[in-house]
Amino acid sequence: MENFIVTTVRNPNSELVRLAEEISLKLGGKFVVRENLSFDVLKKIHGVENILLVKKNSLSVVTSDGELFFHPNTAHLRIKNLREGDGDRLIDALKISAGSTVLDCTLGLGSDAIVESFIAGSSGKIIALEKNPLIAEIVRHGMKNFSEDSPHILDAMRRVEVINVAAENFLPTCAENSFDVVYFDPMFRRPVKKSSGINPLRPLADKNPLSPEMIREACRVAKFRVVMKEHSGSPEFERLGFKIADGGKYSSVTFGIIEL
Ligand SMILES: C[S@@+](CC[C@H](N)C(=O)[O-])C[C@H]1O[C@@H](n2cnc3c(N)ncnc32)[C@H](O)[C@@H]1O
């Protein structure tokens, strides 16, 4: 399938080699013994753009824009704020609480999904979809194995179910009203350059716009609302039928809502 190989750090133990072979079989990228070769040399020899790198406790993807790895990123601070009684714009837009179910159609590095999961708690359910198999794999592995954070953040990430699938293919398989909320955070039509945290995501991420058909399906699947994040002033809100949420007047991003 994709243009990538799977390898390990230099001098791997047998467990890392086994994991790299397993991932290569699962995703279809060729497994290559690292030896002492640099990433640039490996890319040249194998004619690939990306390397899925298996390390001791994590996976990453070496792309043309740097190394992409899983980290709770903004989820850490946002959950700290929520625990201290402050709000969170996404949670306000989704209007979720303990026990809520969310279909997050655009996982990316999973920060939003972790915050949703923190709020929904163990009685709720977050299913997060990601179209790109490499992003899905490193984030799924990270959500399961990342260990350097506080227990409530680790618990929240462990509960997120990651599925490598395009939202347009998954939505039609869902029953009517099967999630409280369906959420989309597509790659912005006009990238906000400042959000450099997602720069290594760019070469891998799916950049297709959402279609009206996907939004229609989302409205069938969601019980209460469909929410989309886009840059402020984006024509996508009107094109897809979203009403702008209150708040964030001075922010570069805005949430759009379709109330059902
Ligand atoms: C802006 S990022 C999402 C960031 C995420 N909300 C977070 O908190 O990290 C968009 C992600 O959605 C994925 N994506 C875009 N269109 C998709 C689709 N139709 N189905 C599934 N995933 C999609 C992209 O590959 C990318 O990883």
Side-chain angles (χ1 to χ4, degrees):
M1 41 124 300
E2 303 262 329
N3 190 6
F4 73 97
I5 55 167
V6 183
T7 193
T8 62
V9 284
R10 291 180 168 104
N11 305 317
N13 59 25
S14 56
E15 198 186 319
L16 287 195
V17 172
R18 193 193 46 73
L19 179 60
E21 286 173 335
E22 201 180 291
I23 292 173
S24 123
L25 270 179
K26 177 173 159 194
L27 302 185
K30 183 176 162 198
F31 168 68
V32 171
V33 177
R34 174 71 185 272
E35 293 172 344
N36 207 15
L37 301 174
S38 70
F39 297 134
D40 285 346
V41 170
L42 280 170
K43 284 185 185 184
K44 214 167 183 178
I45 295 177
H46 296 280
V48 293
E49 277 163 27
N50 302 307
I51 299 178
L52 196 152
L53 183 63
V54 178
K55 307 183 198 184
K56 188 155 174 262
N57 292 316
S58 67
L59 304 179
S60 67
V61 186
V62 182
T63 74
S64 53
D65 273 12
E67 192 172 340
L68 181 70
F69 50 88
F70 170 78
H71 189 274
N73 295 317
T74 59
H76 181 90
L77 183 65
R78 289 166 64 193
I79 290 179
K80 183 170 173 281
N81 290 342
L82 281 162
R83 278 168 58 85
E84 286 169 4
D86 292 336
D88 180 89
R89 289 182 63 210
L90 170 67
I91 299 306
D92 293 346
L94 298 175
K95 231 179 170 178
I96 55 170
S97 54
S100 293
T101 54
V102 180
L103 179 63
D104 183 326
C105 290
T106 47
L107 171 75
L109 287 180
S111 293
D112 286 341
I114 296 170
V115 178
E116 291 152 17
S117 173
F118 171 74
I119 291 295
S122 53
S123 57
K125 181 78 203 161
I126 312 301
I127 293 188
L129 315 179
E130 172 55 54
K131 199 160 166 177
N132 181 279
L134 299 181
I135 299 174
E137 191 63 23
I138 64 168
V139 177
R140 182 194 291 114
H141 184 275
M143 296 267 197
K144 239 196 238 159
N145 297 287
F146 191 83
S147 57
E148 291 150 35
D149 217 319
S150 43
H152 46 271
I153 297 183
L154 297 180
D155 285 351
M157 66 175 81
R158 301 286 189 261
R159 289 193 298 265
V160 176
E161 184 180 339
V162 173
I163 307 180
N164 172 212
V165 66
E168 54 274 37
N169 295 338
F170 189 80
L171 281 163
T173 69
C174 298
E176 218 168 287
N177 299 333
S178 47
F179 290 88
D180 291 333
V181 184
V182 176
Y183 171 55
F184 296 94
D185 175 14
M187 296 302 282
F188 292 166
R189 299 294 90 218
R190 178 163 56 75
V192 177
K193 275 283 171 227
K194 259 195 309 190
S195 69
S196 56
I198 66 161
N199 277 349
L201 190 80
R202 275 184 218 291
L204 299 175
D206 189 274
K207 299 171 197 72
N208 287 313
L210 302 179
S211 67
E213 178 55 24
M214 282 165 84
I215 303 302
R216 265 196 299 280
E217 273 297 291
C219 291
R220 182 185 64 79
V221 168
K223 213 184 282 176
F224 301 120
R225 43 175 60 189
V226 177
V227 174
M228 178 179 74
K229 178 158 89 180
E230 250 292 347
H231 69 78
S232 300
S234 169
E236 289 296 272
F237 292 114
E238 199 181 327
R239 180 179 74 87
L240 297 166
F242 286 87
K243 260 175 73 184
I244 305 294
D246 296 336
K249 233 189 194 167
Y250 304 107
S251 169
S252 54
V253 302
T254 299
F255 292 93
I257 295 169
I258 299 175
E259 193 97 48
L260 301 165

